[in-house]
PDB file of all heavy atoms in Angstrom:
ATOM      1  N   LEU A  38       3.009  12.552 -22.159  1.00 68.00           N
ATOM      2  CA  LEU A  38       1.664  12.946 -21.828  1.00 68.00           C
ATOM      3  C   LEU A  38       1.463  14.481 -21.714  1.00 68.00           C
ATOM      4  O   LEU A  38       0.627  15.088 -22.284  1.00 68.00           O
ATOM      5  CB  LEU A  38       1.231  12.304 -20.531  1.00 68.00           C
ATOM      6  CG  LEU A  38      -0.168  11.764 -20.488  1.00 68.00           C
ATOM      7  CD1 LEU A  38      -0.092  10.330 -20.944  1.00 68.00           C
ATOM      8  CD2 LEU A  38      -0.715  11.859 -19.119  1.00 68.00           C
ATOM      9  N   ALA A  39       2.422  15.057 -20.921  1.00 63.00           N
ATOM     10  CA  ALA A  39       2.254  16.452 -20.680  1.00 63.00           C
ATOM     11  C   ALA A  39       2.489  17.273 -21.930  1.00 63.00           C
ATOM     12  O   ALA A  39       1.800  18.178 -22.238  1.00 63.00           O
ATOM     13  CB  ALA A  39       3.293  16.870 -19.594  1.00 63.00           C
ATOM     14  N   GLU A  40       3.516  16.844 -22.681  1.00 67.00           N
ATOM     15  CA  GLU A  40       3.797  17.503 -23.969  1.00 67.00           C
ATOM     16  C   GLU A  40       2.648  17.507 -24.910  1.00 67.00           C
ATOM     17  O   GLU A  40       2.169  18.498 -25.509  1.00 67.00           O
ATOM     18  CB  GLU A  40       4.999  16.894 -24.621  1.00 67.00           C
ATOM     19  CG  GLU A  40       6.296  16.983 -23.876  1.00 67.00           C
ATOM     20  CD  GLU A  40       7.134  18.168 -24.323  1.00 67.00           C
ATOM     21  OE1 GLU A  40       6.921  18.715 -25.438  1.00 67.00           O
ATOM     22  OE2 GLU A  40       8.038  18.605 -23.600  1.00 67.00           O
ATOM     23  N   LYS A  41       2.124  16.261 -25.081  1.00 61.00           N
ATOM     24  CA  LYS A  41       0.996  16.137 -26.009  1.00 61.00           C
ATOM     25  C   LYS A  41      -0.202  16.849 -25.595  1.00 61.00           C
ATOM     26  O   LYS A  41      -0.945  17.394 -26.348  1.00 61.00           O
ATOM     27  CB  LYS A  41       0.759  14.649 -26.290  1.00 61.00           C
ATOM     28  CG  LYS A  41       1.894  14.010 -27.040  1.00 61.00           C
ATOM     29  CD  LYS A  41       1.557  12.761 -27.721  1.00 61.00           C
ATOM     30  CE  LYS A  41       2.656  12.282 -28.639  1.00 61.00           C
ATOM     31  NZ  LYS A  41       2.601  10.891 -28.985  1.00 61.00           N
ATOM     32  N   ALA A  42      -0.449  16.749 -24.307  1.00 61.00           N
ATOM     33  CA  ALA A  42      -1.689  17.308 -23.731  1.00 61.00           C
ATOM     34  C   ALA A  42      -1.685  18.849 -24.009  1.00 61.00           C
ATOM     35  O   ALA A  42      -2.678  19.481 -24.185  1.00 61.00           O
ATOM     36  CB  ALA A  42      -1.838  17.008 -22.324  1.00 61.00           C
ATOM     37  N   LYS A  43      -0.482  19.380 -23.907  1.00 59.00           N
ATOM     38  CA  LYS A  43      -0.330  20.848 -24.146  1.00 59.00           C
ATOM     39  C   LYS A  43      -0.729  21.142 -25.606  1.00 59.00           C
ATOM     40  O   LYS A  43      -1.251  22.286 -25.879  1.00 59.00           O
ATOM     41  CB  LYS A  43       1.145  21.301 -23.966  1.00 59.00           C
ATOM     42  CG  LYS A  43       1.461  21.789 -22.563  1.00 59.00           C
ATOM     43  CD  LYS A  43       2.787  22.442 -22.570  1.00 59.00           C
ATOM     44  CE  LYS A  43       3.888  21.439 -22.989  1.00 59.00           C
ATOM     45  NZ  LYS A  43       5.211  21.901 -22.609  1.00 59.00           N
ATOM     46  N   ILE A  44      -0.445  20.207 -26.476  1.00 58.00           N
ATOM     47  CA  ILE A  44      -0.585  20.574 -27.877  1.00 58.00           C
ATOM     48  C   ILE A  44      -1.970  20.235 -28.479  1.00 58.00           C
ATOM     49  O   ILE A  44      -2.450  20.994 -29.268  1.00 58.00           O
ATOM     50  CB  ILE A  44       0.539  19.803 -28.681  1.00 58.00           C
ATOM     51  CG1 ILE A  44       1.896  20.380 -28.271  1.00 58.00           C
ATOM     52  CG2 ILE A  44       0.301  19.874 -30.177  1.00 58.00           C
ATOM     53  CD1 ILE A  44       3.047  19.524 -28.726  1.00 58.00           C
ATOM     54  N   SER A  45      -2.510  19.169 -28.054  1.00 54.00           N
ATOM     55  CA  SER A  45      -3.736  18.809 -28.735  1.00 54.00           C
ATOM     56  C   SER A  45      -4.840  18.205 -27.849  1.00 54.00           C
ATOM     57  O   SER A  45      -4.581  17.251 -27.156  1.00 54.00           O
ATOM     58  CB  SER A  45      -3.418  17.793 -29.869  1.00 54.00           C
ATOM     59  OG  SER A  45      -4.534  17.177 -30.347  1.00 54.00           O
ATOM     60  N   VAL A  46      -5.966  18.741 -27.919  1.00 46.00           N
ATOM     61  CA  VAL A  46      -7.119  18.183 -27.227  1.00 46.00           C
ATOM     62  C   VAL A  46      -7.479  16.856 -27.814  1.00 46.00           C
ATOM     63  O   VAL A  46      -7.861  15.876 -27.089  1.00 46.00           O
ATOM     64  CB  VAL A  46      -8.308  19.149 -27.267  1.00 46.00           C
ATOM     65  CG1 VAL A  46      -9.561  18.509 -26.805  1.00 46.00           C
ATOM     66  CG2 VAL A  46      -8.051  20.380 -26.389  1.00 46.00           C
ATOM     67  N   ASP A  47      -7.313  16.782 -29.144  1.00 54.00           N
ATOM     68  CA  ASP A  47      -7.661  15.473 -29.837  1.00 54.00           C
ATOM     69  C   ASP A  47      -6.878  14.358 -29.319  1.00 54.00           C
ATOM     70  O   ASP A  47      -7.344  13.187 -29.381  1.00 54.00           O
ATOM     71  CB  ASP A  47      -7.381  15.664 -31.335  1.00 54.00           C
ATOM     72  CG  ASP A  47      -8.365  16.618 -31.987  1.00 54.00           C
ATOM     73  OD1 ASP A  47      -9.455  16.859 -31.377  1.00 54.00           O
ATOM     74  OD2 ASP A  47      -8.073  17.215 -33.031  1.00 54.00           O
ATOM     75  N   PHE A  48      -5.676  14.662 -28.889  1.00 52.00           N
ATOM     76  CA  PHE A  48      -4.804  13.539 -28.330  1.00 52.00           C
ATOM     77  C   PHE A  48      -5.497  12.816 -27.195  1.00 52.00           C
ATOM     78  O   PHE A  48      -5.477  11.609 -27.143  1.00 52.00           O
ATOM     79  CB  PHE A  48      -3.474  14.178 -27.827  1.00 52.00           C
ATOM     80  CG  PHE A  48      -2.610  13.118 -27.144  1.00 52.00           C
ATOM     81  CD1 PHE A  48      -2.053  12.052 -27.811  1.00 52.00           C
ATOM     82  CD2 PHE A  48      -2.424  13.216 -25.811  1.00 52.00           C
ATOM     83  CE1 PHE A  48      -1.283  11.163 -27.179  1.00 52.00           C
ATOM     84  CE2 PHE A  48      -1.647  12.276 -25.113  1.00 52.00           C
ATOM     85  CZ  PHE A  48      -1.085  11.259 -25.830  1.00 52.00           C
ATOM     86  N   VAL A  49      -6.126  13.573 -26.374  1.00 43.00           N
ATOM     87  CA  VAL A  49      -6.806  12.970 -25.250  1.00 43.00           C
ATOM     88  C   VAL A  49      -7.898  12.046 -25.707  1.00 43.00           C
ATOM     89  O   VAL A  49      -8.059  10.898 -25.273  1.00 43.00           O
ATOM     90  CB  VAL A  49      -7.409  14.003 -24.309  1.00 43.00           C
ATOM     91  CG1 VAL A  49      -8.192  13.315 -23.158  1.00 43.00           C
ATOM     92  CG2 VAL A  49      -6.293  14.856 -23.707  1.00 43.00           C
ATOM     93  N   LYS A  50      -8.637  12.502 -26.738  1.00 45.00           N
ATOM     94  CA  LYS A  50      -9.714  11.677 -27.306  1.00 45.00           C
ATOM     95  C   LYS A  50      -9.165  10.478 -27.932  1.00 45.00           C
ATOM     96  O   LYS A  50      -9.716   9.369 -27.811  1.00 45.00           O
ATOM     97  CB  LYS A  50     -10.495  12.549 -28.358  1.00 45.00           C
ATOM     98  CG  LYS A  50     -11.244  13.703 -27.674  1.00 45.00           C
ATOM     99  CD  LYS A  50     -12.234  14.331 -28.623  1.00 45.00           C
ATOM    100  CE  LYS A  50     -12.912  15.527 -27.885  1.00 45.00           C
ATOM    101  NZ  LYS A  50     -12.992  16.689 -28.827  1.00 45.00           N
ATOM    102  N   SER A  51      -8.036  10.561 -28.631  1.00 50.00           N
ATOM    103  CA  SER A  51      -7.504   9.436 -29.392  1.00 50.00           C
ATOM    104  C   SER A  51      -6.991   8.438 -28.358  1.00 50.00           C
ATOM    105  O   SER A  51      -7.036   7.249 -28.583  1.00 50.00           O
ATOM    106  CB  SER A  51      -6.412   9.866 -30.315  1.00 50.00           C
ATOM    107  OG  SER A  51      -5.226  10.254 -29.587  1.00 50.00           O
ATOM    108  N   MET A  52      -6.525   8.891 -27.217  1.00 44.00           N
ATOM    109  CA  MET A  52      -6.050   7.980 -26.154  1.00 44.00           C
ATOM    110  C   MET A  52      -7.201   7.113 -25.697  1.00 44.00           C
ATOM    111  O   MET A  52      -7.034   5.953 -25.422  1.00 44.00           O
ATOM    112  CB  MET A  52      -5.532   8.785 -25.002  1.00 44.00           C
ATOM    113  CG  MET A  52      -4.050   8.974 -24.969  1.00 44.00           C
ATOM    114  SD  MET A  52      -3.365   9.378 -23.350  1.00 44.00           S
ATOM    115  CE  MET A  52      -4.130  10.904 -22.966  1.00 44.00           C
TER     116      MET A  52
END
Side-chain angles (χ1 to χ4, degrees):
Chain A
L38 221 90
E40 295 264 342
K41 290 200 171 160
K43 266 189 302 196
I44 292 165
S45 165
V46 166
D47 291 339
F48 172 69
V49 177
K50 296 193 181 136
S51 72
M52 265 202 295

